[in-house]
Amino acid sequence: MMQTTLRWGGALLALALLGGCATSRNALDDASRLMAERDAEKLLPVTNLSAYSLALGRFGSMLDVYKDGDPIIYMQTRSILDATNLSSPLAGAEIPGDITEMVRTAVNRIGARVVYVPYHPDYLVAQAQLGAKFGVTMPDFLITGALTEFDRAISGAGRVNSAGIEFGGGNGKVTLGADVKRTAIFSALALDLNLVSFSTQQMVPRIQSSNVVKVLNFSSEDNASLGFYGDAFGFKMEGKYLQGRHSAIRTLVDLSVLELVGKATNTPYWRCIPGGTPDPVVIENMRAAYTGLTPELKLGLIQVMLRKYGEPVQVTQKYDDATKAALQKVYSERFADKGEVDVMQWSGFEPLFFNVPMSWEARSANAATATVPVSGAAQPAAKAGT
């Protein structure tokens, strides 16, 4: 009986070996299966967008509203390089040495009202020698700047949790142990951009951006073990996450370009960013500009802004009945919390200017409907409108 069992067992083992033998067909099948499995897990390319890429597109839509009828702004850049020297191979080339192309891409995301003018003289000269003819567009502004800071490991912390237990004795002694370790280290990258008037080659006062982003280096380690008297086994799991520095710099570039062009055009660009805060430079510039207008020009600007709210008023520079009714409607529906306002003063005009409806913003479901006293007939303005 034993011999029969062994004989059948040997036969089964032989069949198993034959079934998995190294034939050409089996090798091809295994290779096809392996390729299918790896292809299924292959990472596909994705659109390279930063957290502020959408904000740049929204800003382009904002310019379509605020700058309707204004001339196109043409921009150019100098080479935006690394000023920290940490892009050098001798320093490990930890950050890119030239981010000019990132800045160009960010400017080009804004849309048709801000046009980037390339500067490639060698290419133009070579093409001209072949007989090509070009029309030259001179830029209005020049963007300059550099990566100005890279502070490595400015802050770090780690935590370790350990536990162990023993029970039993002698040959029955059992030990259990576990360790959990977490470490986080932050570095910082900074980018400075400035705006230069191309015609005068002078920096535009207060039109600059200086932003910083923190980069995370995170590691984890988990250990567990189980031991019996004389024998033990365990496992260890390690993980590491290093935030991409190039990706962090792209985020810096997109935000900085948004801020720079927003200041240059005096538009409330912060509304394009979820949770954005008002920029005091834009507010101060608009306050000074509005205060310096004559009453007639103030009324004309008020009427222009009312049209952006969908009110069918004519730009007459007069405080007529249609303008008065439109102001009453807009302020009652949108700014009832402001109380009585005088739109001939900056404090009264400011909410009208900075809150023009944008396509990506949902109207509040509980819009106020209280009647708000709105005055636009200050004595000089009343005379101007008669």
Side-chain angles (χ1 to χ4, degrees):
M1 183 67 178
M2 178 63 70
Q3 292 179 349
T4 303
T5 302
L6 292 173
R7 189 179 299 113
W8 279 106
L12 291 174
L13 179 59
L15 289 173
L17 291 174
L18 288 174
C21 63
T23 64
S24 299
R25 172 49 55 191
N26 288 341
L28 290 172
D29 290 343
D30 291 342
S32 298
R33 190 181 307 108
L34 177 62
M35 183 172 65
E37 291 173 355
R38 296 288 77 82
D39 284 346
E41 297 176 0
K42 188 184 300 181
L43 297 178
L44 299 176
V46 296
T47 304
N48 193 2
L49 299 175
S50 78
Y52 296 101
S53 298
L54 177 61
L56 286 168
R58 287 177 170 178
F59 180 66
S61 299
M62 177 175 283
L63 290 179
D64 289 338
V65 175
Y66 274 93
K67 302 301 177 180
D68 182 28
D70 286 8
I72 293 173
I73 298 174
Y74 294 98
M75 287 197 167
Q76 198 172 79
T77 65
R78 293 184 61 186
S79 295
I80 312 298
L81 306 176
D82 165 38
T84 69
N85 291 324
L86 289 174
S87 59
S88 168
L90 298 177
E94 298 182 73
I95 56 177
D98 188 338
I99 61 168
T100 310
E101 203 61 40
M102 291 187 186
V103 176
R104 291 170 178 160
T105 300
V107 173
N108 205 34
R109 285 191 197 280
I110 295 174
R113 293 194 176 273
V114 179
V115 175
Y116 185 84
V117 180
Y119 178 66
H120 300 297
D122 295 341
Y123 171 81
L124 294 178
V125 169
Q127 292 295 320
Q129 290 175 346
L130 295 176
K133 298 184 182 299
F134 302 99
V136 179
T137 300
M138 304 305 293
D140 300 303
F141 297 106
L142 184 66
I143 299 176
T144 66
L147 288 169
T148 52
E149 298 177 23
F150 180 29
D151 297 322
R152 190 187 296 104
I154 59 174
S155 176
R159 294 197 175 204
V160 179
N161 297 324
S162 300
I165 186 172
E166 295 183 1
F167 55 89
N171 292 337
K173 183 179 179 181
V174 178
T175 60
L176 296 172
D179 297 298
V180 177
K181 182 179 180 180
R182 300 289 186 268
T183 304
I185 300 174
F186 283 106
S187 300
L189 284 160
L191 172 66
D192 286 37
L193 295 180
N194 283 279
L195 202 66
V196 175
S197 170
F198 187 82
S199 60
T200 64
Q201 287 297 297
Q202 296 177 350
M203 282 192 175
V204 183
R206 303 186 70 188
I207 307 301
Q208 81 292 316
S209 63
S210 181
N211 296 298
V212 63
V213 63
K214 291 182 178 179
V215 182
L216 173 64
N217 184 349
F218 178 82
S219 61
S220 63
E221 183 178 317
D222 297 328
N223 298 281
S225 62
L226 173 63
F228 299 97
Y229 184 77
D231 297 295
F233 69 91
F235 72 88
K236 180 178 181 180
M237 296 178 61
E238 293 183 334
K240 188 175 183 64
Y241 170 76
L242 178 61
Q243 185 178 349
R245 290 170 184 149
H246 290 65
S247 177
I249 289 172
R250 183 178 295 276
T251 301
L252 267 180
V253 167
D254 286 352
L255 172 61
S256 299
V257 168
L258 175 65
E259 179 183 349
L260 196 71
V261 183
K263 288 179 177 179
T265 56
N266 281 324
T267 50
Y269 67 90
W270 57 86
R271 293 176 59 193
C272 304
I273 308 170
T277 56
D279 191 318
V281 173
V282 176
I283 294 174
E284 185 175 333
N285 287 343
M286 283 306 305
R287 179 190 296 114
Y290 188 76
T291 303
L293 294 177
T294 64
E296 295 90 340
L297 291 177
K298 285 183 179 180
L299 282 169
L301 181 56
I302 290 168
Q303 290 166 335
V304 169
M305 300 311 298
L306 287 172
R307 291 177 64 86
K308 298 182 188 301
Y309 283 81
E311 298 301 319
V313 298
Q314 299 298 317
V315 182
T316 62
Q317 297 187 356
K318 298 179 180 180
Y319 191 60
D320 49 33
D321 291 341
T323 301
K324 183 176 181 180
L327 281 170
Q328 191 71 57
K329 177 183 176 184
V330 170
Y331 275 78
S332 296
E333 291 180 351
R334 298 175 180 271
F335 314 119
D337 59 322
K338 303 296 182 183
E340 184 174 358
V341 295
D342 180 3
V343 292
M344 299 301 289
Q345 303 299 319
W346 169 251
S347 58
F349 176 73
E350 182 179 9
L352 186 71
F353 180 80
F354 284 126
N355 293 281
V356 173
M358 294 295 148
S359 58
W360 64 85
E361 295 176 333
R363 282 292 309 276
S364 174
N366 53 356
T369 57
T371 300
V372 179
V374 181
S375 171
Q379 189 60 31
K383 291 180 179 180
T386 57

